[in-house]
Amino acid sequence: MSKGRSTEPPVIPPPPFPWLAVIIALLVGSAGWELACRLSGRSEAWDSAAYWRLAYPLFGVAVLVLAFFWPRSRWLTWAALALGQALVMFAKNPGGSLLPLGVIVMLVMCAPLMIAGRLGARLHAWRRGR
């Protein structure tokens, strides 16, 4: 056996509490929605350029990172991220008659984030050598 360094990547232990990924995604979604609203002065973030230039890319990075550390929760993270946005949207306008439609549109808009989740999970598998 040689005394040289191993060429194998270090083993990444699974993080505790898989539900923590969902909570983080909820917080990132709600904070991103609120940040875009405040930066643009609009009541709905998706009407602003700040949402598409700042918040949405942040959501993609968040889902990728969360799926890397919690690969089994990758589909939950994008749904939780959309739910976090919807909760803030509802809190700002609780009497909105189009709220159910808004939640559906939010899920559809966040669906491309599943690609980031899948990429994060694949990076995790690649790092572990599978």
Side-chain angles (χ1 to χ4, degrees), residues 12 19 23 25 33 56 61 74 78 89 113 127-128:
I12 301 171
W19 49 265
I23 292 171
W33 182 271
Y56 199 78
V61 170
R74 69 181 180 266
W78 76 266
M89 181 175 63
L113 297 177
R127 181 81 167 119
R128 292 191 74 179

Side-chain angles (χ1 to χ4, degrees), residues 36-126:
C37 286
R38 288 185 184 228
L39 288 175
S40 66
R42 296 182 184 247
S43 62
E44 292 190 356
W46 55 31
D47 291 337
S48 72
Y51 180 81
W52 299 105
R53 291 184 183 156
L54 179 67
Y56 199 78
L58 170 74
F59 297 155
V61 170
V63 169
L64 186 135
V65 169
L66 289 170
F68 179 80
F69 288 107
W70 288 277
R72 292 185 180 172
S73 301
R74 69 181 180 266
W75 68 272
L76 280 175
T77 56
W78 76 266
L81 201 133
L83 180 62
Q85 294 177 73
L87 290 173
V88 174
M89 181 175 63
F90 178 70
K92 289 183 149 217
N93 187 12
S97 62
L98 295 176
L99 183 66
L101 179 62
V103 171
I104 292 169
V105 169
M106 184 82 62
L107 285 170
V108 170
M109 281 182 12
C110 287
L113 297 177
M114 286 190 298
I115 297 167
R118 185 172 174 111
L119 178 61
R122 287 200 172 232
L123 286 172
H124 178 85
W126 174 76

